[in-house]
Amino acid sequence: VYITAVANYTLPVYEPGTFICPLGFGTLGYAFPAALGAKAGHPDRQVVALCGDGGFLFNVQELATAVQSNLNVVILLINDGGYGAIRDWQRKHAGGRLTAVDLHTPDFITLEQAFGAIGMRARGLDDVGPLLQTACREPRPVLLEVPVTLEHPGFG
């Protein structure tokens, strides 16, 4: 949720209907399958899914669909080791007690490769732009993992 909220305010959008974001509905796991649908509907367009690690794990099995259907989407995976927006909410509203927000996630690069897709990992923010450009040229699905430590601004 946090990732799409930031994107909603910071990414330039040049054409109507090219930034799809169900902001406000708490739709964890929406981005990747929505990106697959967008790519299937517009195979000539570049499609990038902005995902958190927790949300991506809701539909990680759709990597098989992406590979089998030749849907060369790019997954820009912001990996903060859990449900970051919920973690922040708990810090602010539950006296700092954290419950079920930190995840033991897989090695996403190895997982991506196991499905027959391409995995890349940024070592820092300076890597993201060049790696994203490379990912957009690939004929197969690509996961670009960006490991981060985020303190979310929160939602209430």
Side-chain angles (χ1 to χ4, degrees), residues 107-115 119 121:
D107 178 335
F108 286 106
I109 304 307
T110 302
L111 181 64
E112 193 79 5
Q113 293 167 347
F115 276 97
R121 182 175 291 123

Side-chain angles (χ1 to χ4, degrees), residues 83-106:
Y83 301 115
I86 299 169
R87 184 187 296 131
D88 181 67
W89 192 94
Q90 288 181 2
R91 279 190 189 115
K92 290 181 178 170
H93 300 286
R97 293 182 311 274
L98 301 180
T99 303
V101 292
D102 296 318
L103 297 174
H104 175 80
T105 57

Side-chain angles (χ1 to χ4, degrees), residues 1-2 7 9-10 23 29 40 44-45 49-50 60 66-67 69 88 93-94 129:
V1 173
Y2 173 74
Y9 294 107
T10 59
L23 192 59
D44 57 317
R45 304 291 301 260
L50 297 173
V60 68
V67 171
S69 302
D88 181 67
H93 300 286

Side-chain angles (χ1 to χ4, degrees), residues 1-13 19-28 30-31 50-52 78 85 150 152-156:
V1 173
Y2 173 74
I3 294 163
T4 53
V6 171
N8 190 42
Y9 294 107
T10 59
L11 288 179
V13 177
F19 180 75
I20 303 168
C21 175
L23 192 59
F25 294 107
T27 51
L28 279 170
Y30 171 86
L50 297 173
C51 301
I78 309 302
L150 292 176
H152 297 278
F155 297 102

Side-chain angles (χ1 to χ4, degrees), residues 32-33 55-65 106 108 111-112 115 143:
F32 182 45
F56 180 66
L57 287 172
F58 275 51
N59 291 294
V60 68
Q61 73 279 2
E62 296 304 335
L63 285 170
T65 302
F108 286 106
L111 181 64
E112 193 79 5
F115 276 97
L143 180 135

